[in-house]
Amino acid sequence: MFRTAILRSAAVASRTTVRSVPKLSGAAAAARLTASPAMRMPKSFVPKVAGNWVAVRGYASAGGLDRTEVYERIKQLLQGFDKVNDPSNINEKAHFANDLGLDSLDTVEVVMAIEEEFSIEIPDKDADQIHSVDKAIEYIVSQPDAN
């Protein structure tokens, strides 16, 4: 379905421009859309035409998160975490256990809080690799569905 929508919109875009499209309605517009030798579509794929506009559904994805934005959000999250021994030690290279004084259970809680903050689910295999702010930032930035 997604591929079909892309092909339809590409076919319509390659055949029509806003300046050169005369106002056609009904069968005349459908005939013009299917008359291009570059791409022939069955009549069942011809979209409804209203004036100069063709209704085609489009899909897009988010642009992703910026590294500095992710760092600031993680920093705020850690500053609100009670078990951090000294919030002034929080920086991009801070290790959860060595620099912030968190034990393994606290690290799991931080990873769970990061999951909630960015609306993602981190698999256990990947969560075991996150032991520092830098690793958390790298993981979040690499996730296209993080927000």
Side-chain angles (χ1 to χ4, degrees), residues 74-75 77-79 81-91 93-103 106-107 110 131-133:
I74 291 176
K75 183 178 177 181
L77 185 140
L78 288 170
Q79 286 173 344
F81 197 65
D82 296 339
K83 297 182 180 178
V84 173
N85 59 6
D86 186 12
S88 65
N89 288 341
I90 300 170
N91 59 33
K93 301 294 182 186
H95 191 273
F96 294 149
N98 299 342
D99 299 325
L100 303 179
L102 303 176
D103 62 11
D106 296 334
T107 301
V110 167
H131 294 291
S132 65
V133 175

Side-chain angles (χ1 to χ4, degrees), residues 62-128:
L65 294 174
D66 183 27
R67 187 174 177 84
T68 56
E69 177 188 352
V70 172
Y71 168 66
E72 291 299 323
R73 288 171 64 182
I74 291 176
K75 183 178 177 181
Q76 288 177 353
L77 185 140
L78 288 170
Q79 286 173 344
F81 197 65
D82 296 339
K83 297 182 180 178
V84 173
N85 59 6
D86 186 12
S88 65
N89 288 341
I90 300 170
N91 59 33
E92 279 196 44
K93 301 294 182 186
H95 191 273
F96 294 149
N98 299 342
D99 299 325
L100 303 179
L102 303 176
D103 62 11
S104 60
L105 184 58
D106 296 334
T107 301
V108 171
E109 289 179 24
V110 167
V111 171
M112 289 172 52
I114 290 172
E115 286 178 330
E116 289 180 26
E117 174 70 24
F118 293 97
S119 302
I120 61 170
E121 186 171 330
I122 302 174
D124 292 338
K125 177 184 166 191
D126 296 331
D128 291 341

Side-chain angles (χ1 to χ4, degrees), residues 11-32:
V12 170
S14 69
R15 285 182 265 157
T16 61
T17 62
V18 175
R19 285 179 271 137
S20 65
V21 177
K23 290 192 177 189
L24 300 175
S25 62
R32 179 181 172 138

Side-chain angles (χ1 to χ4, degrees), residues 127-147:
D128 291 341
Q129 303 300 318
I130 300 175
H131 294 291
S132 65
V133 175
D134 191 34
K135 294 285 186 183
I137 292 170
E138 287 176 20
Y139 185 82
I140 298 300
V141 169
S142 70
Q143 298 302 308
D145 56 342
N147 56 15

